[in-house]
Amino acid sequence: MQDLPKNKKIILFDGVCNLCDSSVQLIIKHDTKDIFRFVALQSALGQEITIYLGIDSQKMDSIILYHPGVAYYYKAEAALEIAKELGGVFSFVRILGLFPVSFSNIAYDYVAKNRYKWYGKKESCMMPTEALKSKFLS
């Protein structure tokens, strides 16, 4: 855990979810300030981080945004924080911040519950290309 980059925000995601994979690819494409690093929840490091944060990863079907030594966010709050960092066209997502977190999480949970049915599931976590390896922590 001490090897985690302190100057990067870490996105923990479901590595076998097609929707999550597409979201990671979208974030990488628009992360022009090189803010984020990525870890699959299913990986050893993903498990280590969730245990450190006190989150039961067996019950977690959510994205987690972890800023080492500062804070962590999950579900809708994580998505809002990521959108805030990306800026530009993603700023429209910040409108959701006007709603209570419990309301935003209900919508988030509905999508999370149905993501495999709607978008499918992979047999294993994606393997980043050589060009993207630096974006993923292991």
Side-chain angles (χ1 to χ4, degrees):
M1 286 282 297
Q2 62 260 25
D3 292 337
L4 293 179
K6 302 288 186 237
N7 61 339
K8 302 293 180 191
K9 295 182 179 182
I10 300 167
I11 297 174
L12 292 101
F13 66 99
D14 181 344
V16 297
C17 169
N18 286 331
L19 174 62
C20 303
D21 178 55
S22 296
S23 298
V24 166
Q25 296 302 321
L26 183 72
I27 294 167
I28 288 171
K29 180 179 178 181
H30 295 281
D31 183 17
T32 58
K33 296 183 243 172
D34 193 34
I35 295 168
F36 300 110
R37 293 296 178 265
F38 302 88
V39 176
L41 284 164
Q42 294 87 347
S43 70
L45 181 57
Q47 295 292 308
E48 187 178 349
I49 293 171
T50 56
I51 289 168
Y52 175 78
L53 295 175
I55 299 170
D56 182 356
S57 62
Q58 298 302 317
K59 296 178 184 173
M60 181 56 86
D61 61 352
S62 175
I63 191 169
I64 301 169
L65 175 63
Y66 176 46
H67 190 180
V70 179
Y72 75 91
Y73 309 90
Y74 65 101
K75 295 188 180 189
E77 284 184 297
L80 289 170
E81 289 294 318
I82 293 166
K84 188 187 316 180
E85 291 291 352
L86 293 175
V89 70
F90 297 96
S91 295
F92 80 91
V93 174
R94 294 172 64 186
I95 292 171
L96 296 174
L98 300 175
F99 297 99
V101 172
S102 59
F103 176 79
S104 300
N105 280 339
I106 289 170
Y108 185 97
D109 288 339
Y110 180 73
V111 173
K113 180 180 171 187
N114 292 290
R115 70 189 189 277
Y116 294 145
K117 181 172 38 170
W118 295 341
Y119 298 97
K121 183 177 179 179
K122 300 173 189 218
E123 291 297 316
S124 61
C125 295
M126 77 163 217
M127 295 301 297
T129 63
E130 283 298 318
L132 295 180
K133 274 191 179 180
S134 67
K135 295 281 190 180
F136 291 83
L137 305 175
S138 55

